[in-house]
mmCIF file of all heavy atoms in Angstrom:
data_model
loop_
_atom_site.group_PDB
_atom_site.id
_atom_site.type_symbol
_atom_site.label_atom_id
_atom_site.label_comp_id
_atom_site.label_asym_id
_atom_site.label_seq_id
_atom_site.Cartn_x
_atom_site.Cartn_y
_atom_site.Cartn_z
ATOM 1 N N VAL A 242 2.154 -9.304 -36.330
ATOM 2 C CA VAL A 242 0.732 -9.117 -36.067
ATOM 3 C C VAL A 242 0.578 -7.995 -35.056
ATOM 4 O O VAL A 242 1.149 -8.043 -33.966
ATOM 5 C CB VAL A 242 0.075 -10.406 -35.532
ATOM 6 C CG1 VAL A 242 -1.402 -10.165 -35.206
ATOM 7 C CG2 VAL A 242 0.210 -11.531 -36.556
ATOM 8 N N ILE A 243 -0.181 -6.974 -35.436
ATOM 9 C CA ILE A 243 -0.421 -5.808 -34.581
ATOM 10 C C ILE A 243 -1.868 -5.878 -34.119
ATOM 11 O O ILE A 243 -2.793 -5.760 -34.927
ATOM 12 C CB ILE A 243 -0.168 -4.503 -35.349
ATOM 13 C CG1 ILE A 243 1.241 -4.512 -35.964
ATOM 14 C CG2 ILE A 243 -0.341 -3.299 -34.435
ATOM 15 C CD1 ILE A 243 1.471 -3.396 -36.969
ATOM 16 N N ASP A 244 -2.071 -6.057 -32.824
ATOM 17 C CA ASP A 244 -3.408 -6.327 -32.303
ATOM 18 C C ASP A 244 -3.767 -5.346 -31.187
ATOM 19 O O ASP A 244 -3.051 -5.261 -30.191
ATOM 20 C CB ASP A 244 -3.459 -7.756 -31.766
ATOM 21 C CG ASP A 244 -4.863 -8.310 -31.711
ATOM 22 O OD1 ASP A 244 -5.809 -7.555 -31.976
ATOM 23 O OD2 ASP A 244 -5.012 -9.503 -31.416
ATOM 24 N N PRO A 245 -4.857 -4.579 -31.339
ATOM 25 C CA PRO A 245 -5.296 -3.715 -30.235
ATOM 26 C C PRO A 245 -5.565 -4.544 -29.001
ATOM 27 O O PRO A 245 -6.083 -5.660 -29.099
ATOM 28 C CB PRO A 245 -6.588 -3.079 -30.773
ATOM 29 C CG PRO A 245 -6.507 -3.220 -32.253
ATOM 30 C CD PRO A 245 -5.750 -4.487 -32.504
ATOM 31 N N GLN A 246 -5.226 -4.009 -27.836
ATOM 32 C CA GLN A 246 -5.398 -4.776 -26.608
ATOM 33 C C GLN A 246 -6.857 -5.004 -26.308
ATOM 34 O O GLN A 246 -7.692 -4.127 -26.492
ATOM 35 C CB GLN A 246 -4.740 -4.061 -25.429
ATOM 36 C CG GLN A 246 -3.243 -4.224 -25.396
ATOM 37 C CD GLN A 246 -2.668 -3.783 -24.079
ATOM 38 O OE1 GLN A 246 -3.189 -2.894 -23.427
ATOM 39 N NE2 GLN A 246 -1.591 -4.414 -23.676
ATOM 40 N N ASN A 247 -7.173 -6.219 -25.841
ATOM 41 C CA ASN A 247 -8.525 -6.591 -25.433
ATOM 42 C C ASN A 247 -8.684 -6.217 -23.971
ATOM 43 O O ASN A 247 -7.950 -6.682 -23.115
ATOM 44 C CB ASN A 247 -8.708 -8.098 -25.617
ATOM 45 C CG ASN A 247 -10.131 -8.543 -25.325
ATOM 46 O OD1 ASN A 247 -10.910 -7.803 -24.747
ATOM 47 N ND2 ASN A 247 -10.441 -9.762 -25.725
ATOM 48 N N SER A 248 -9.668 -5.377 -23.661
ATOM 49 C CA SER A 248 -9.850 -4.896 -22.285
ATOM 50 C C SER A 248 -10.879 -5.693 -21.503
ATOM 51 O O SER A 248 -11.207 -5.356 -20.375
ATOM 52 C CB SER A 248 -10.274 -3.419 -22.309
ATOM 53 O OG SER A 248 -11.495 -3.267 -23.014
ATOM 54 N N ASN A 249 -11.443 -6.764 -22.097
ATOM 55 C CA ASN A 249 -12.454 -7.552 -21.388
ATOM 56 C C ASN A 249 -11.862 -8.263 -20.179
ATOM 57 O O ASN A 249 -10.692 -8.625 -20.168
ATOM 58 C CB ASN A 249 -13.066 -8.606 -22.320
ATOM 59 C CG ASN A 249 -13.890 -7.978 -23.425
ATOM 60 O OD1 ASN A 249 -14.476 -6.922 -23.231
ATOM 61 N ND2 ASN A 249 -13.928 -8.627 -24.577
ATOM 62 N N ALA A 250 -12.686 -8.486 -19.152
ATOM 63 C CA ALA A 250 -12.236 -9.278 -18.003
ATOM 64 C C ALA A 250 -11.993 -10.704 -18.464
ATOM 65 O O ALA A 250 -12.668 -11.218 -19.334
ATOM 66 C CB ALA A 250 -13.293 -9.250 -16.906
ATOM 67 N N ARG A 251 -11.019 -11.390 -17.837
ATOM 68 C CA ARG A 251 -10.642 -12.720 -18.285
ATOM 69 C C ARG A 251 -10.558 -13.699 -17.120
ATOM 70 O O ARG A 251 -10.425 -13.306 -15.970
ATOM 71 C CB ARG A 251 -9.295 -12.666 -19.017
ATOM 72 C CG ARG A 251 -9.343 -11.750 -20.242
ATOM 73 C CD ARG A 251 -7.946 -11.653 -20.852
ATOM 74 N NE ARG A 251 -7.967 -10.887 -22.081
ATOM 75 C CZ ARG A 251 -7.782 -9.579 -22.150
ATOM 76 N NH1 ARG A 251 -7.579 -8.894 -21.066
ATOM 77 N NH2 ARG A 251 -7.802 -8.958 -23.312
ATOM 78 N N LEU A 252 -10.622 -14.966 -17.466
ATOM 79 C CA LEU A 252 -10.442 -16.039 -16.495
ATOM 80 C C LEU A 252 -9.160 -16.768 -16.810
ATOM 81 O O LEU A 252 -8.805 -16.934 -17.970
ATOM 82 C CB LEU A 252 -11.612 -17.020 -16.560
ATOM 83 C CG LEU A 252 -12.996 -16.459 -16.197
ATOM 84 C CD1 LEU A 252 -14.047 -17.530 -16.450
ATOM 85 C CD2 LEU A 252 -13.033 -16.009 -14.763
ATOM 86 N N ALA A 253 -8.456 -17.199 -15.781
ATOM 87 C CA ALA A 253 -7.215 -17.944 -15.988
ATOM 88 C C ALA A 253 -7.469 -19.415 -15.779
ATOM 89 O O ALA A 253 -8.222 -19.806 -14.891
ATOM 90 C CB ALA A 253 -6.137 -17.465 -15.003
ATOM 91 N N GLY A 254 -6.815 -20.247 -16.599
ATOM 92 C CA GLY A 254 -6.959 -21.682 -16.419
ATOM 93 C C GLY A 254 -6.007 -22.415 -17.320
ATOM 94 O O GLY A 254 -5.392 -21.839 -18.208
ATOM 95 N N GLY A 255 -5.894 -23.720 -17.153
ATOM 96 C CA GLY A 255 -5.004 -24.498 -17.988
ATOM 97 C C GLY A 255 -3.574 -24.365 -17.528
ATOM 98 O O GLY A 255 -3.265 -23.691 -16.559
#
Side-chain angles (χ1 to χ4, degrees):
V242 177
I243 306 168
D244 202 354
Q246 282 193 329
N247 185 346
S248 60
N249 293 329
R251 300 175 175 91
L252 297 174

